[in-house]
Amino acid sequence: MLDGMPLIDAHQHPVRLSTVRPAWLDWAQRFGQPGWRAAYTAGGEIIPRAFEDLLQAEGVDHALVICEYSPKATGLQPAEDLLPLTAHNPARFSLVANDNPHLKLHPVHGGFSPADPALYPAYQACAAEGLPVVVHCGTSSFPGSSNELADPALLLPVLRDFPGLTVVLAHGGRGWWYDAAASLALLHENVWIELSGLPPHRLTDYYARFDLRRLAGKFIFGTDWPGVPGIARNARALAALGLGDDVLAGVLAGNALAAYPGIRKYATHI
C-alpha cells in the first residue's frame, strides 16, 4: 500500500546483471533509483528477499517482472532467471513470460512487426486462454533498436483479427505515437496503456489532445525498474495530476487486476 492505496508495478526488469549489455547497465546507473544495486549480490544476482524489501519500502503490493531478451539491444536473459522471485513470494511477484516463435519477442529490439503472421499462433493461444499480450510501443535509445517498429498502429491488423485479445501498450507510444496509443486504447475495450518509462508529470503534455481523466481509465502503472527515479515517487506524481480517487485507484492497481487475470487471485492481499 502507498498512502493508503494498493499499488501494482506492471513493468519491472530485475535482470541478472551478467546477461545484459553495457548500454543497459549505463541506462540503469544513469536513470535508476539510488541504491537499486543493494538488491543484488556482488556477482549480479537478484536477491529475492532484498528485492521484496525494496518494493515493500516503495509501497508496491505486487510486481510484474519481465526478463530482458533483446538480442540486438539489451542482452539475452532467460525468463527462468526470474523464477526464484515468483517462488520466493508469488503473492508479491508475477512473471510476464516470453512467447517467441523463431526468437521473435520485442518488435523494436527483435526487428519484426507485431503483425508478423508468425506471431499469430501465439496471439491465438493467448486469446483462447484469456492472457494479455504486452507489446513495446515506444522508442528505445539502446543501440541497434528498430524504432520504426514501435508504432502502435502496426497492431491494427492484430486487433482486427483477434477482437478478444487483451493488448497492453508498454511505454504508451513513447516518442511520437502518443496519439496513436491513446486512440487505440479508447477505441478498444481490451487495449490498455502501460506507463513505464513515462515521467508522470509529462502525461498532460504527451496526451494533450485527449481528456486525461477519461484516458487514465485505460492507464496501468509501471516503472521500467530499475530505470526509474523511484517507484513511490512516480506513483505520487500520478496522484498529483488530480485524476480523482476512483480513477487513480484504477491506474495504480485496479486496471492491472482487470488486464492481467493471473494476478486477480491476489486481489485479497492488496
Side-chain angles (χ1 to χ4, degrees):
M1 302 281 283
L2 179 70
D3 303 333
M5 302 190 78
L7 180 62
I8 296 173
D9 188 336
H11 196 122
Q12 297 194 343
H13 293 289
V15 303
R16 178 181 293 181
L17 298 181
S18 62
T19 65
V20 294
R21 298 183 185 277
W24 190 98
L25 290 170
D26 179 66
W27 164 78
Q29 294 285 23
R30 290 175 59 199
F31 301 108
Q33 180 177 359
W36 67 269
R37 287 291 296 263
Y40 284 88
T41 67
E45 305 287 328
I46 195 76
I47 306 169
R49 178 74 259 177
F51 189 42
E52 182 175 20
D53 289 346
L54 183 153
L55 297 187
Q56 179 71 28
E58 292 290 310
V60 177
D61 298 284
H62 199 82
L64 276 66
V65 292
I66 308 170
C67 74
E68 286 284 9
Y69 195 117
S70 305
K72 292 193 299 181
T74 58
L76 294 166
Q77 181 199 21
E80 287 77 7
D81 279 358
L82 301 176
L83 294 181
L85 288 173
T86 57
H88 168 73
N89 187 354
R92 180 81 65 182
F93 300 105
S94 290
L95 174 66
V96 177
N98 289 324
D99 207 340
N100 57 336
H102 307 297
L103 298 181
K104 296 181 178 179
L105 174 68
H106 188 310
V108 172
H109 295 164
F112 63 94
S113 168
D116 190 320
L119 292 168
Y120 269 44
Y123 293 144
Q124 179 63 50
C126 289
E129 295 296 326
L131 298 175
V133 172
V134 183
V135 181
H136 180 110
C137 287
T139 55
S140 171
S141 62
F142 291 122
S145 299
S146 301
N147 282 313
E148 69 275 13
L149 296 170
D151 187 351
L154 294 172
L155 285 161
L156 285 170
V158 177
L159 296 172
R160 178 196 65 219
D161 295 339
F162 300 94
L165 181 67
T166 296
V167 175
V168 177
L169 307 178
H171 314 304
R174 179 178 61 199
W176 49 89
W177 297 295
Y178 296 112
D179 285 1
S183 296
L184 287 181
L186 292 174
L187 283 170
H188 298 273
E189 182 180 359
N190 53 330
V191 175
W192 302 85
I193 290 176
E194 187 250 276
L195 300 175
S196 58
L198 302 182
H201 71 280
R202 296 292 307 279
L203 294 177
T204 53
D205 297 327
Y206 296 154
Y207 299 109
R209 296 179 61 186
F210 298 86
D211 180 330
L212 190 66
R213 192 176 189 280
R214 177 181 176 229
L215 182 62
K218 306 301 294 288
F219 285 169
I220 293 174
F221 180 77
T223 61
D224 222 8
W225 189 95
V228 60
I231 301 171
R233 175 177 166 180
N234 268 30
R236 289 186 173 119
L238 275 167
L241 295 178
L243 300 173
D245 288 347
D246 55 339
V247 175
L248 180 64
V251 177
L252 296 183
N255 295 342
L257 290 170
Y260 295 91
I263 60 174
R264 291 176 194 167
K265 70 179 86 171
Y266 301 118
T268 56
H269 294 272
I270 59 178

